[in-house]
Amino acid sequence: MKILKVLRSSALSIYGYFFFAFVYAPILLIVVFSFNSNPVNMMIWESFTLDWYKTIFGMTNASSESALYLDSTDQLYAAVQNSLVIALTTTLIATVFGTSIALAVARFKFKLKGFYRALMFMPMIMPDIVLGIALLIFFVSIGAQLSIYTIIIGHCTFLTSYVFIVVSARIADMDETLEEASADLGANGWTTFRRVTLPMIMPGVIGGALLSFIISMDDLVITYFIAGVDSQTLPVFIYGMLRRGIKPEINAIATIMLLFSIIIASIGLYMRSRRN
Amino acid sequence: MSPILNITGATKRFHTPDGKSVTALDDVSLRVEQNEFVTLLGPSGCGKTTLLRAISGFEGLESGAIEIAGSPVTHLPAHKRPVNTVFQNYALFPHMTIAKNIAYSLDVADTPKKEISERVGKMLDIVGLAGFGDRKINQLSGGQRQRVALARSLIAQPKILLLDEPLSALDKNLRHKMQQELKSLQAEFGIAFVFVTHDQEEALTMSDRIVVLSDGKIQQHGTPEDLYRRPKTEFVARFVGESNLFEGHVVEASSQNALVQIGNGQKVSINKSGLREGVKVKLLARPEDLSVGHNADREGLKFKAKIDQLFFVGADYQILATTHDGLAIKATLRPSAQSRDPIGSPRSEIEFFIDKEALHVIAAEAVHE
Ligand SMILES: Nc1ncnc2c1ncn2[C@@H]1O[C@H](COP(=O)(O)OP(=O)(O)OP(=O)(O)O)[C@@H](O)[C@H]1O
Ligand SMILES: [Mg+2]
C-alpha cells in the first residue's frame, strides 16, 4: 500500500514538472537563443554574444553585414514608439471609460441595464479576427485613413470592456454603505467619489489599466487589419520579419518584451499586495 | 421647546420586482425631544431601518414631512442633514486610519487641520481609544470598531444620532457594557438618540421612550414602564416582556369598574372605566405578578396548575406550568427571605394567585379612555 502511495505521489510530481516544462521551455529557449552567436542555425550553440541586442539597439555598425537581418533599426524603433503611444493612449481612454461605465451600471438605475451589461461583455467573447475585419470595414466605409488613430480607436473598443469587467468585479466587492456613510458625514457626491469610492476600487482600476496596456502592446490580429502602412506596431513588425524566416534578432526583441511584461505584472502584483 | 425631530404622516412604499408593493411606513408621526433616547422596536421587516433612513435622507417619502430642529428637511439630500448615523455594520472606511475615519466629517467640511487633530484626540479619549489613532480598521476588535463608529458620527456634533442595531454584532457581555457606554455618551453630548433594535430587553433598559412598530405602523409609544405595564394591544403585550394573557369578556360594566369573566369561568372585578358590556377583552399578567398560594383577603384570579419546567436563575425561579383547564402559564417567583425551601418540582401541583390590581385589561376593540 505504501509503495502505491509513493508511486502515485511521485507520478503526480513528475506530471507537474512536465506541465511546467511544457509551458516554460519554449520561452526559456528563446531567451537562451537570444544570446547564441550562431547566425545561421540558432539551434546549435556557438558561443555567448550580446550582438543581437547590440543590433537592435543600433550599437553595431554593419560590420557583419550578413548577420544583420533587420531591414533597419529605424523601422523597429518606429514600431516600438507606435506601440507605446497606442498602448498608453488606449489605456488612458479605456480605463476612464471602462471605470465610468462600470460605476454607472453598478450605481444607477436605468432601463435595459442587463442588456447594457451584456453588451459590455460582447467584445471579450468576440473572435479577434471578426472584430478586426469589422473594424476595417467600418473605417473604410466611413473613409477613415488607416493610421495610428484607427488603431487607438480599435483597441479602445474591446479594451474598454476588459477594464469594465475588472472594475465591475471590484465594485461588486465594495460595501455600498461606505458611500452612504460618507454622505451621512456631510460629503457631497463628488467628494464621496474622490475620497471613498475611487480609493476603494483603485486596485481594480490599476489592474484593468495594466491589463489593457499589456493587451494593447501585444495585440496582433486586430491591429494587423487596421494598421496603416506607416503605422506598424511592434507585433505587426515582428510578424513581418518572421515571414522572411526566423532571425536571431527576434529572440532578443522577444526577450526584451518578456522582461517588459514581467515588470508590468510585478508592478501590478506589488500594488495589490500593498493594499491588502 | 420645539421638538428636535418632528415627523408627520410619513408614508413609504417599496415596489418589489414582481409588481407588488410593500408599505414600509404607514402614516408614521413621531416627535423626539432634545436630549431624548428614543428606541424604535419591532419585529424584522416592520420598517425600523426604513424610518431611520427616511430621517437621515437615504429614503424619500411618498407623503409626509420631516422637520429637524424646526426646519423642514424632507427634500434635503442626506449630506446636508444635521444628523449622523451609526450603521449596523459600522461602515468604517477600510482605507483610512482610525483618526482619519473619525476626522472624516470635519475633513470634508474644511475644518482647520489643528482643530481637527485636537477634536479627534479628544474624541479618541472619550471613547477610550487614545493611542489607537494610527491603526487601520482591520486591526481592531468588534467593540473597538463600534467605538470608532460612534466617535466618527459624534464628532461633528449632530443634532440627532441615529443608530441602527449597533449592538447586534457584539457578544452578550460586550453588549451590556456598550449599552451603558451609549447611555453615558448620550448624557455627555446632550443630543437626541434614535436607536433601533428588535431586542425588547435592550429597549427597556436603555430608552426614555420606546416606539413599537409593526407592519410600518406605530402600535404604541411611551416610557418603558408604560409599555410594560399598560400595553394597548396584544401585540405590544407579547412583544415587550413576557406575558400571560387570559381571554374573557365584560359581563358587567359600571362607571369605574368592569366585571370580567375569563375562559374558565372565574370572574374578577377590574378598576377600569369605558368598557361596555359584552366586549371581548384580554387580561394581562406579567410573570412576576403571580404568587403561590391563595391569599383570602385579596380579590384576584387563581389557578391550579401542574409545573412543566422549573428553572432556578439565582434570585428567582422561573416556572412554566399548565393549568387544569389547559392554559400555559409563565411565572417568576422569588422565595421569601425566611423560607428557602424549593418552590416545587417538575410535575408537582402548584396554586397560583394573581391580584386583581396587577391585571391589565386589553380590549379586543380600541378602548376609549
Ligand atoms: N429597497 C427596498 N426594496 C424593496 N423593499 C424594501 C426595501 N427596503 C426595505 N423593504 C421592505 O420594507 C419593509 C421594511 O424594511 P426595513 O428594512 O425597514 O425593516 P426593519 O424593521 O429594519 O427589519 P430588520 O429588523 O430585519 O432590520 C420590509 O418588508 C422590506 O422587505
Ligand atoms: Mg433593519
Side-chain angles (χ1 to χ4, degrees):
Chain A
M1 279 335 258
K2 205 168 172 196
I3 296 171
L4 217 69
K5 224 172 169 180
V6 171
L7 263 178
R8 194 160 57 197
S9 78
S10 53
L12 273 177
S13 330
I14 291 167
Y15 170 76
Y17 296 140
F18 267 110
F19 174 78
F20 282 110
F22 188 71
V23 171
Y24 283 104
I27 296 172
L28 206 68
L29 277 182
I30 279 200
V31 177
V32 173
F33 289 163
S34 73
F35 297 106
N36 183 358
S37 64
N38 187 340
V40 185
N41 189 345
M42 62 173 97
M43 302 294 179
I44 297 164
W45 183 262
E46 208 176 79
S47 65
F48 180 85
T49 179
L50 288 175
D51 278 357
W52 314 124
Y53 289 92
K54 286 185 185 152
T55 317
I56 4 180
F57 288 110
M59 276 149 61
T60 39
N61 37 36
S63 59
S64 53
E65 194 64 43
S66 63
L68 188 64
Y69 289 91
L70 274 174
D71 296 341
S72 86
T73 49
D74 286 351
Q75 270 187 354
L76 173 65
Y77 292 162
V80 170
Q81 192 188 350
N82 278 344
S83 274
L84 283 173
V85 169
I86 291 165
L88 284 171
T89 318
T90 308
T91 299
L92 192 72
I93 298 172
T95 306
V96 170
F97 276 88
T99 305
S100 323
I101 298 169
L103 278 168
V105 169
R107 291 289 182 264
F108 297 127
K109 284 184 189 145
F110 48 86
K111 276 188 192 155
L112 296 176
K113 198 153 144 173
F115 174 67
Y116 286 111
R117 203 192 295 267
L119 274 189
M120 288 305 292
F121 275 92
M122 277 305 281
M124 244 183 94
I125 53 169
M126 186 125 44
D128 279 3
I129 194 145
V130 175
L131 199 57
I133 294 170
L135 283 166
L136 177 64
I137 293 172
F138 172 73
F139 287 133
V140 169
S141 66
I142 63 164
Q145 184 88 48
L146 294 183
S147 68
I148 188 168
Y149 301 108
T150 50
I151 302 177
I152 290 174
I153 294 170
H155 282 192
C156 283
T157 56
F158 64 100
L159 290 179
T160 301
S161 89
Y162 278 74
V163 175
F164 169 83
I165 288 160
V166 174
V167 175
S168 288
R170 183 77 199 181
I171 295 176
D173 278 349
M174 181 185 160
D175 178 6
E176 241 178 283
T177 51
L178 292 181
E179 285 169 0
E180 287 192 345
S182 169
D184 187 68
L185 293 164
N188 60 27
W190 171 242
T191 309
T192 297
F193 174 73
R194 211 163 37 86
R195 294 204 180 199
V196 176
T197 316
L198 194 57
M200 290 303 294
I201 64 171
M202 208 36 151
V205 175
I206 291 173
L210 292 177
L211 187 67
S212 54
F213 185 82
I214 291 178
I215 294 176
S216 171
M217 274 302 278
D218 78 7
D219 177 72
L220 173 65
V221 179
I222 297 168
T223 314
Y224 190 75
F225 283 96
I226 54 177
V229 196
D230 348 302
S231 55
Q232 282 195 341
T233 62
L234 187 56
V236 175
F237 179 77
I238 295 173
Y239 181 63
M241 277 175 78
L242 276 177
R243 280 192 302 189
R244 277 167 285 135
I246 299 185
K247 294 154 196 178
E249 290 92 343
I250 288 176
N251 296 329
I253 297 173
T255 306
I256 292 172
M257 285 178 80
L258 184 65
L259 195 69
F260 192 68
S261 294
I262 291 175
I263 289 171
I264 290 182
S266 315
I267 293 174
L269 284 177
Y270 171 70
M271 299 253 243
R272 209 162 93 177
S273 71
R274 233 180 33 144
R275 291 207 165 254
N276 296 336
Chain B
M1 203 161 67
S2 70
I4 196 74
L5 173 67
N6 192 3
I7 303 174
T8 40
T11 300
K12 171 78 192 177
R13 270 181 217 96
F14 285 112
H15 298 282
T16 50
D18 53 356
K20 290 190 195 120
S21 83
V22 182
T23 308
L25 295 178
D26 188 357
D27 194 20
V28 169
S29 296
L30 176 67
R31 290 159 67 105
V32 175
E33 303 299 329
Q34 210 125 24
N35 212 351
E36 208 181 5
F37 196 117
V38 171
T39 297
L40 306 179
L41 176 68
S44 188
C46 69
K48 306 180 296 286
T49 299
T50 307
L51 182 53
L52 221 56
R53 289 171 62 81
I55 300 170
S56 56
F58 293 121
E59 219 71 80
L61 295 175
E62 254 87 69
S63 61
I66 301 177
E67 271 178 24
I68 294 173
S71 40
V73 299
T74 318
H75 301 291
L76 223 53
H79 70 271
K80 292 197 173 142
R81 299 195 185 187
V83 299
N84 284 148
T85 307
V86 175
F87 292 84
Q88 180 165 9
N89 63 353
Y90 313 145
L92 298 173
F93 305 123
H95 59 294
M96 298 181 194
T97 61
I98 309 295
K100 277 280 172 203
N101 262 281
I102 297 178
Y104 192 81
S105 55
L106 302 181
D107 255 340
V108 298
D110 286 327
T111 314
K113 285 265 178 300
K114 193 161 157 280
E115 190 188 334
I116 291 182
S117 71
E118 267 172 30
R119 283 169 70 177
V120 169
K122 212 184 278 171
M123 220 47 231
L124 281 169
D125 275 345
I126 291 176
V127 296
L129 288 175
F132 282 65
D134 293 327
R135 287 211 201 174
K136 283 277 179 101
I137 301 305
N138 57 11
Q139 297 168 318
L140 293 186
S141 71
Q144 290 168 332
R145 283 175 205 206
Q146 169 86 76
R147 294 199 181 103
V148 176
L150 277 167
R152 185 179 71 173
S153 23
L154 282 170
I155 197 167
Q157 286 159 341
K159 298 215 156 49
I160 308 166
L161 187 70
L162 309 172
L163 306 101
D164 194 354
E165 307 202 27
L167 307 181
S168 60
L170 305 179
D171 68 56
K172 204 173 165 198
N173 285 333
L174 194 55
R175 206 172 159 138
H176 282 301
K177 191 151 167 263
M178 287 308 297
Q179 286 177 357
Q180 290 159 8
E181 282 186 30
L182 272 179
K183 282 297 277 181
S184 57
L185 271 179
Q186 195 232 349
E188 188 165 344
F189 280 79
I191 59 172
F193 277 31
V194 178
F195 180 91
V196 165
T197 183
H198 58 240
D199 179 342
Q200 49 93 17
E201 217 177 299
E202 192 165 279
L204 287 174
T205 43
M206 298 186 72
S207 323
D208 296 325
R209 201 148 54 92
I210 298 175
V211 178
V212 180
L213 285 166
S214 158
D215 288 333
K217 281 198 265 298
I218 294 185
Q219 297 291 315
Q220 186 175 356
H221 63 91
T223 61
E225 293 88 343
D226 260 347
L227 292 184
Y228 192 77
R229 286 284 154 221
R230 290 172 289 280
K232 283 193 182 133
T233 61
E234 185 180 338
F235 174 83
V236 176
R238 286 190 189 281
F239 200 76
V240 180
E242 299 279 339
S243 52
N244 295 293
L245 285 163
F246 306 103
E247 276 180 55
H249 63 278
V250 178
V251 287
E252 234 179 273
S254 70
S255 55
Q256 269 117 54
N257 284 293
L259 189 65
V260 175
Q261 182 173 37
I262 63 166
N264 66 3
Q266 284 191 72
K267 287 183 191 155
V268 62
S269 150
I270 307 276
N271 223 327
K272 176 141 180 139
S273 61
L275 287 169
R276 279 181 294 109
E277 238 176 75
V279 174
K280 283 200 168 129
V281 294
K282 288 199 169 158
L283 297 182
L284 166 72
R286 298 296 185 184
E288 64 278 8
D289 296 333
L290 276 69
S291 55
V292 186
H294 181 207
N295 189 336
D297 309 339
R298 308 284 308 173
E299 204 187 324
L301 294 173
K302 35 185 194 294
F303 300 96
K304 284 207 167 76
K306 197 171 86 185
I307 297 180
D308 297 321
Q309 282 173 13
L310 182 136
F311 307 99
F312 177 60
V313 287
D316 301 322
Y317 288 96
Q318 280 174 3
I319 295 174
L320 299 177
T322 312
T323 65
H324 289 176
D325 28 73
L327 293 170
I329 288 207
K330 289 179 206 137
T332 303
L333 299 174
R334 177 157 298 191
S336 67
Q338 290 82 33
S339 101
R340 301 235 161 189
D341 302 333
I343 280 185
S345 59
R347 277 179 301 284
S348 69
E349 295 288 327
I350 191 166
E351 190 173 359
F352 290 118
F353 175 73
I354 308 170
D355 195 298
K356 70 168 189 151
E357 298 297 332
L359 289 166
H360 171 74
V361 184
I362 298 168
E365 301 128 58
V367 184
H368 301 285
E369 318 219 358

CSV table of all heavy atoms in Angstrom, one decimal, chain A residues 26 65 73 76 90 100 102-103 117 137 164-166 182 202 205 212 220-221 227 233 236 250 270 273 275:
chain,number,residue,atom,x,y,z
A,26,PRO,N,9.7,26.6,-24.1
A,26,PRO,CA,9.9,27.4,-25.3
A,26,PRO,C,10.3,28.8,-25.0
A,26,PRO,O,11.2,29.4,-25.7
A,26,PRO,CB,8.5,27.4,-25.9
A,26,PRO,CG,7.8,26.2,-25.3
A,26,PRO,CD,8.3,26.0,-24.0
A,65,GLU,N,27.7,42.3,-42.2
A,65,GLU,CA,26.5,42.6,-43.0
A,65,GLU,C,25.6,41.4,-43.1
A,65,GLU,O,24.4,41.6,-43.1
A,65,GLU,CB,26.9,43.2,-44.3
A,65,GLU,CG,25.8,43.8,-45.1
A,65,GLU,CD,25.3,45.1,-44.5
A,65,GLU,OE1,26.1,45.9,-44.0
A,65,GLU,OE2,24.1,45.3,-44.3
A,73,THR,N,17.1,49.5,-38.2
A,73,THR,CA,16.7,49.7,-36.8
A,73,THR,C,15.7,50.8,-36.7
A,73,THR,O,14.9,50.9,-35.8
A,73,THR,CB,17.9,50.0,-35.9
A,73,THR,OG1,18.7,51.0,-36.5
A,73,THR,CG2,18.7,48.8,-35.7
A,76,LEU,N,12.3,49.5,-36.6
A,76,LEU,CA,12.0,48.8,-35.3
A,76,LEU,C,11.6,49.9,-34.3
A,76,LEU,O,10.6,49.8,-33.6
A,76,LEU,CB,13.2,48.0,-34.9
A,76,LEU,CG,13.1,47.5,-33.5
A,76,LEU,CD1,12.0,46.4,-33.4
A,76,LEU,CD2,14.5,46.9,-33.1
A,90,THR,N,-4.5,54.3,-25.4
A,90,THR,CA,-5.6,53.4,-25.3
A,90,THR,C,-5.9,53.1,-23.8
A,90,THR,O,-7.1,53.1,-23.3
A,90,THR,CB,-5.3,52.0,-26.0
A,90,THR,OG1,-4.9,52.3,-27.3
A,90,THR,CG2,-6.5,51.2,-26.0
A,100,SER,N,-15.9,54.4,-15.7
A,100,SER,CA,-17.2,55.1,-15.6
A,100,SER,C,-18.4,54.3,-15.9
A,100,SER,O,-19.4,54.3,-15.2
A,100,SER,CB,-17.2,56.3,-16.6
A,100,SER,OG,-15.9,56.9,-16.7
A,102,ALA,N,-18.6,51.0,-15.6
A,102,ALA,CA,-18.8,50.1,-14.5
A,102,ALA,C,-19.5,50.7,-13.3
A,102,ALA,O,-20.4,50.1,-12.7
A,102,ALA,CB,-17.4,49.5,-14.1
A,103,LEU,N,-19.1,51.9,-13.0
A,103,LEU,CA,-19.8,52.7,-11.9
A,103,LEU,C,-21.2,52.9,-12.2
A,103,LEU,O,-22.1,52.8,-11.4
A,103,LEU,CB,-19.0,54.0,-11.6
A,103,LEU,CG,-17.8,53.8,-10.7
A,103,LEU,CD1,-17.0,55.1,-10.8
A,103,LEU,CD2,-18.2,53.5,-9.3
A,117,ARG,N,-25.1,45.6,-19.8
A,117,ARG,CA,-24.0,44.8,-19.2
A,117,ARG,C,-23.6,43.7,-20.2
A,117,ARG,O,-22.4,43.5,-20.4
A,117,ARG,CB,-24.5,44.2,-17.9
A,117,ARG,CG,-23.4,43.8,-16.9
A,117,ARG,CD,-24.0,42.9,-15.8
A,117,ARG,NE,-25.0,43.6,-15.0
A,117,ARG,CZ,-24.7,44.3,-13.9
A,117,ARG,NH1,-23.4,44.3,-13.5
A,117,ARG,NH2,-25.6,44.9,-13.2
A,137,ILE,N,-13.7,47.2,-42.1
A,137,ILE,CA,-14.8,47.6,-43.0
A,137,ILE,C,-15.4,48.9,-42.5
A,137,ILE,O,-15.7,49.8,-43.3
A,137,ILE,CB,-15.9,46.5,-43.0
A,137,ILE,CG1,-15.4,45.2,-43.6
A,137,ILE,CG2,-17.2,46.9,-43.7
A,137,ILE,CD1,-16.2,44.0,-43.5
A,164,PHE,N,-13.9,47.4,-17.9
A,164,PHE,CA,-15.2,47.3,-17.3
A,164,PHE,C,-15.4,46.1,-16.5
A,164,PHE,O,-15.9,46.1,-15.3
A,164,PHE,CB,-16.3,47.3,-18.4
A,164,PHE,CG,-17.7,47.0,-18.0
A,164,PHE,CD1,-18.5,48.0,-17.5
A,164,PHE,CD2,-18.2,45.7,-18.1
A,164,PHE,CE1,-19.8,47.7,-17.0
A,164,PHE,CE2,-19.4,45.4,-17.7
A,164,PHE,CZ,-20.2,46.4,-17.1
A,165,ILE,N,-15.0,44.9,-17.0
A,165,ILE,CA,-15.1,43.7,-16.3
A,165,ILE,C,-14.3,43.6,-15.0
A,165,ILE,O,-14.8,43.3,-13.9
A,165,ILE,CB,-14.8,42.5,-17.2
A,165,ILE,CG1,-16.0,42.4,-18.2
A,165,ILE,CG2,-14.7,41.2,-16.4
A,165,ILE,CD1,-15.6,41.6,-19.5
A,166,VAL,N,-13.0,44.0,-15.1
A,166,VAL,CA,-12.2,44.0,-13.9
A,166,VAL,C,-12.7,45.0,-12.8
A,166,VAL,O,-12.8,44.6,-11.7
A,166,VAL,CB,-10.7,44.4,-14.3
A,166,VAL,CG1,-9.8,44.5,-13.1
A,166,VAL,CG2,-10.2,43.3,-15.3
A,182,SER,N,-20.3,58.1,4.0
A,182,SER,CA,-19.7,59.3,3.5
A,182,SER,C,-20.7,60.4,3.4
A,182,SER,O,-20.5,61.5,3.9
A,182,SER,CB,-18.9,59.1,2.2
A,182,SER,OG,-18.5,60.3,1.7
A,202,MET,N,-9.6,51.4,-6.5
A,202,MET,CA,-8.4,51.6,-7.2
A,202,MET,C,-7.6,50.4,-7.6
A,202,MET,O,-7.1,50.3,-8.7
A,202,MET,CB,-7.5,52.5,-6.2
A,202,MET,CG,-6.5,53.4,-7.0
A,202,MET,SD,-7.2,54.0,-8.5
A,202,MET,CE,-6.4,55.5,-8.7
A,205,VAL,N,-9.1,49.4,-10.8
A,205,VAL,CA,-8.8,50.3,-11.9
A,205,VAL,C,-7.3,50.1,-12.4
A,205,VAL,O,-7.1,50.0,-13.6
A,205,VAL,CB,-9.0,51.8,-11.4
A,205,VAL,CG1,-8.5,52.8,-12.5
A,205,VAL,CG2,-10.4,52.0,-11.0
A,212,SER,N,-5.0,46.3,-19.9
A,212,SER,CA,-5.2,46.8,-21.2
A,212,SER,C,-3.9,47.3,-21.8
A,212,SER,O,-3.7,47.2,-23.0
A,212,SER,CB,-6.3,47.9,-21.2
A,212,SER,OG,-6.0,48.9,-20.3
A,220,LEU,N,-2.0,41.4,-32.0
A,220,LEU,CA,-1.5,41.3,-33.4
A,220,LEU,C,-2.7,41.3,-34.4
A,220,LEU,O,-2.8,42.0,-35.3
A,220,LEU,CB,-0.7,40.1,-33.6
A,220,LEU,CG,-0.3,39.7,-35.1
A,220,LEU,CD1,0.6,40.8,-35.6
A,220,LEU,CD2,0.3,38.4,-35.2
A,221,VAL,N,-3.7,40.4,-34.1
A,221,VAL,CA,-4.7,40.1,-35.1
A,221,VAL,C,-5.5,41.3,-35.5
A,221,VAL,O,-5.6,41.7,-36.6
A,221,VAL,CB,-5.6,39.0,-34.5
A,221,VAL,CG1,-6.7,38.6,-35.5
A,221,VAL,CG2,-4.8,37.7,-34.2
A,227,ALA,N,-4.0,48.6,-39.1
A,227,ALA,CA,-2.8,49.4,-39.1
A,227,ALA,C,-2.5,49.9,-40.5
A,227,ALA,O,-2.6,49.1,-41.5
A,227,ALA,CB,-1.6,48.5,-38.6
A,233,THR,N,2.8,48.5,-35.6
A,233,THR,CA,3.2,48.3,-34.2
A,233,THR,C,4.2,47.2,-34.1
A,233,THR,O,4.5,46.5,-35.1
A,233,THR,CB,1.9,47.9,-33.4
A,233,THR,OG1,1.5,46.6,-33.8
A,233,THR,CG2,0.8,48.9,-33.5
A,236,VAL,N,3.1,43.7,-35.2
A,236,VAL,CA,2.9,43.6,-36.6
A,236,VAL,C,4.3,43.6,-37.3
A,236,VAL,O,4.5,42.9,-38.3
A,236,VAL,CB,2.1,44.8,-37.1
A,236,VAL,CG1,2.0,44.9,-38.7
A,236,VAL,CG2,0.7,44.8,-36.5
A,250,ILE,N,15.1,38.5,-33.5
A,250,ILE,CA,13.7,38.3,-33.0
A,250,ILE,C,13.7,37.8,-31.6
A,250,ILE,O,13.0,38.2,-30.7
A,250,ILE,CB,12.9,37.4,-33.9
A,250,ILE,CG1,12.6,38.2,-35.2
A,250,ILE,CG2,11.6,36.9,-33.2
A,250,ILE,CD1,11.9,37.3,-36.2
A,270,TYR,N,2.6,43.9,-6.9
A,270,TYR,CA,3.1,44.7,-5.8
A,270,TYR,C,2.1,45.6,-5.2
A,270,TYR,O,1.8,45.7,-4.0
A,270,TYR,CB,4.4,45.5,-6.2
A,270,TYR,CG,4.9,46.4,-5.1
A,270,TYR,CD1,5.5,45.9,-4.0
A,270,TYR,CD2,4.7,47.8,-5.3
A,270,TYR,CE1,5.9,46.8,-3.0
A,270,TYR,CE2,5.2,48.7,-4.3
A,270,TYR,CZ,5.8,48.2,-3.2
A,270,TYR,OH,6.2,49.0,-2.2
A,273,SER,N,-0.6,43.8,-3.4
A,273,SER,CA,-0.2,43.3,-2.0
A,273,SER,C,-0.1,44.4,-1.0
A,273,SER,O,-0.4,44.2,0.1
A,273,SER,CB,1.2,42.5,-2.1
A,273,SER,OG,2.2,43.5,-2.3
A,275,ARG,N,-2.0,47.0,-0.9
A,275,ARG,CA,-3.3,47.5,-0.5
A,275,ARG,C,-4.0,46.6,0.5
A,275,ARG,O,-4.9,47.0,1.3
A,275,ARG,CB,-4.2,47.6,-1.7
A,275,ARG,CG,-3.8,48.7,-2.6
A,275,ARG,CD,-4.8,49.4,-3.4
A,275,ARG,NE,-4.3,50.6,-3.9
A,275,ARG,CZ,-4.7,51.8,-3.4
A,275,ARG,NH1,-5.6,51.9,-2.4
A,275,ARG,NH2,-4.2,52.9,-3.9
